[in-house]
Amino acid sequence: MAPIRRILAANRSEIAIRIFRSSHELGIRTVALYSHEDRFALHRFKADEAYPIGKPGEPIRSYLDIPGIVELCIENKIDAVHPGYGFLSENAEFARALRNAGIMFIGPSNEALELLGDKVAAREIARQVGVPILQGSSAAVRSLEEAKETALAMKYPVMLKASKGGGGRGMRVVESEDQLASNLEQAQREAKNAFGSDEVFIEKLVGRARHLEVQVLGDQHGNIIHLHERDCSVQRRHQKVVEIAPAPNLSPKVASELHEAALAIARKVGYYCAGTVEFLLDTESNKFYFIEVNPRIQVEHTVTEAVHGIDLVEWQLRIAAGETLPGSDAPPVKGHAIEVRVCAEDPAADFRPSAGDLVHVKWPSMLDGIRVDAGFESGDAVTAAYDSLLGKIIAHGRT
């Protein structure tokens, strides 16, 4: 397979900068794209080249412009595209359009994206391989009346979830029928804005649960391994804020069962590249249930990198270029890692996202055991158009 010489990060802020870092270490020339609203953003200046995309006043749509991004790649002789997370990262149409144009997509196959990028289809795959799933709708709900019937059948409380994306977007907890209409409308609107699709499905809500996920990594030669698990239970408004690897206070038996469940799902679809299989662990019954597969890099991939001493983005690039994984077993875990997300929020307003100028920013020094992945520095402006994430601080230690 031809080597990657020029790579575009079809994303913004800290994840785009993260992609550039691994690409530079492999000697690959980096290319950024930026919306009008991001014309002064840090990621634009961290790449070797940068090009505008979209129109003023379309901050989200600019990064969802599939024809525009493909055309940009063709005009600038770009070999590969890394989608990061969010935006088009789980969009099979995007991957197909790039590959049809002869451009490498840093991600799984089109078929795997279609199956796993659709959360309803992914539930069916989990069921087929014997992994427990929560009670939920078998397809995206098409109307309020259908949503009412489905929710009533499984009994409240329920969760509304976006079918075509993750990361907490398009999710709402519904406690009773009188909350359903407004929450359905909000979930559909948010899903449409974030992923370009307003499809939403319904799932039974587990009240007391831990959010656990297993990192998998596969190559294009049929090899796939797990890189153990993370605990992402500390959340606010369905957004993770603290992530830990490995998951603390998890029995070896449950951990092993989670790993095998994740691998079974990945093998079923012939998965390659980096991906994450997410589960809920009911703390009362100690039973786990499949939630979804995120066929992309995760925000919290850093803690897995820390405890394994590997670069997941680098391995995504190597796998896309046809390389084989170095082993067939999970590497040992070395120590513990915690990531905290640093967000632009207003504590006086229930920690809602906050926009404005960053007058002064001082990130921790990159000392032994400390890592910072940031997308902002002093003098930058935080707009209300995008996620409030400014960066991440990761600590790694022996205990």
Side-chain angles (χ1 to χ4, degrees), residues 303-348:
V303 288
T304 295
E305 290 183 322
V307 298
H308 286 296
I310 64 171
D311 184 328
L312 278 170
V313 174
E314 178 182 327
W315 267 107
Q316 285 186 294
L317 302 179
R318 290 184 180 280
I319 289 166
E323 290 194 28
T324 303
L325 289 176
S328 58
D329 296 316
V333 171
K334 299 177 182 177
H336 300 261
I338 300 176
E339 173 187 285
V340 292
R341 304 190 189 192
V342 181
C343 300
E345 297 174 333
D346 185 355

Side-chain angles (χ1 to χ4, degrees), residues 124-142:
E124 174 59 20
I125 291 167
R127 188 195 65 77
Q128 290 176 6
V129 296
V131 176
I133 61 174
L134 290 168
Q135 184 182 6
S137 53
S138 58
V141 293
R142 293 165 293 184

Side-chain angles (χ1 to χ4, degrees), residues 236-237 344-347 349-354 388:
R236 182 170 57 235
R237 292 187 292 274
E345 297 174 333
D346 185 355
D350 193 28
F351 291 92
R352 295 289 175 180
S354 179
S388 63

Side-chain angles (χ1 to χ4, degrees), residues 176-221:
S176 59
E177 187 173 303
D178 61 345
Q179 299 177 0
L180 185 58
S182 61
N183 278 286
L184 179 61
E185 181 183 353
Q186 291 170 21
Q188 289 175 326
R189 182 171 62 249
E190 188 171 84
K192 179 69 173 178
N193 289 338
F195 312 116
S197 169
D198 64 358
E199 290 188 7
V200 171
F201 70 100
I202 301 177
E203 195 171 72
K204 179 64 179 172
L205 180 70
V206 178
R208 297 180 63 83
R210 292 177 66 182
H211 187 122
L212 304 174
E213 56 188 43
V214 178
Q215 179 74 61
V216 296
L217 187 65
D219 61 30
Q220 298 186 61
H221 308 284

Side-chain angles (χ1 to χ4, degrees), residues 246-393:
N249 306 313
L250 185 67
S251 75
K253 179 178 181 294
V254 172
S256 178
E257 289 174 350
L258 286 172
H259 302 158
E260 289 306 312
L263 289 174
I265 292 169
R267 290 184 183 119
K268 177 70 174 178
V269 299
Y271 194 87
Y272 60 81
C273 204
T276 300
V277 188
E278 303 199 356
F279 302 91
L280 283 182
L281 177 68
D282 188 327
T283 56
E284 294 181 352
S285 66
N286 209 36
K287 294 180 179 178
F288 66 83
Y289 301 92
F290 169 80
I291 308 175
E292 63 187 28
V293 178
N294 288 312
R296 53 172 169 79
I297 201 72
Q298 295 271 99
V299 179
E300 60 274 17
H301 73 278
T302 58
V303 288
T304 295
E305 290 183 322
V307 298
H308 286 296
I310 64 171
D311 184 328
L312 278 170
V313 174
E314 178 182 327
W315 267 107
Q316 285 186 294
L317 302 179
R318 290 184 180 280
I319 289 166
E323 290 194 28
T324 303
L325 289 176
S328 58
D329 296 316
V333 171
K334 299 177 182 177
H336 300 261
I338 300 176
E339 173 187 285
V340 292
R341 304 190 189 192
V342 181
C343 300
E345 297 174 333
D346 185 355
D350 193 28
F351 291 92
R352 295 289 175 180
S354 179
D357 293 334
L358 291 170
V359 177
H360 179 67
V361 178
K362 182 173 173 58
W363 293 100
S365 300
M366 301 280 270
L367 301 173
D368 185 38
I370 297 295
R371 166 180 165 181
V372 176
D373 283 18
F376 291 82
E377 57 187 21
S378 296
D380 287 346
V382 179
T383 77
Y386 302 110
D387 187 273
S388 63
L389 181 68
L390 302 180
K392 306 172 301 195
I393 301 174

Side-chain angles (χ1 to χ4, degrees), residues 30-60:
T30 58
V31 183
L33 51 75
Y34 59 92
S35 68
H36 175 79
E37 288 74 11
D38 264 345
R39 62 194 182 280
F40 302 118
L42 185 61
H43 75 274
R44 172 186 177 180
F45 303 102
K46 289 290 186 179
D48 296 315
E49 305 170 33
Y51 300 97
I53 191 79
K55 302 175 182 178
E58 297 182 348
I60 301 294

Side-chain angles (χ1 to χ4, degrees), residues 15 90 281:
I15 188 58
E90 300 181 43
L281 177 68

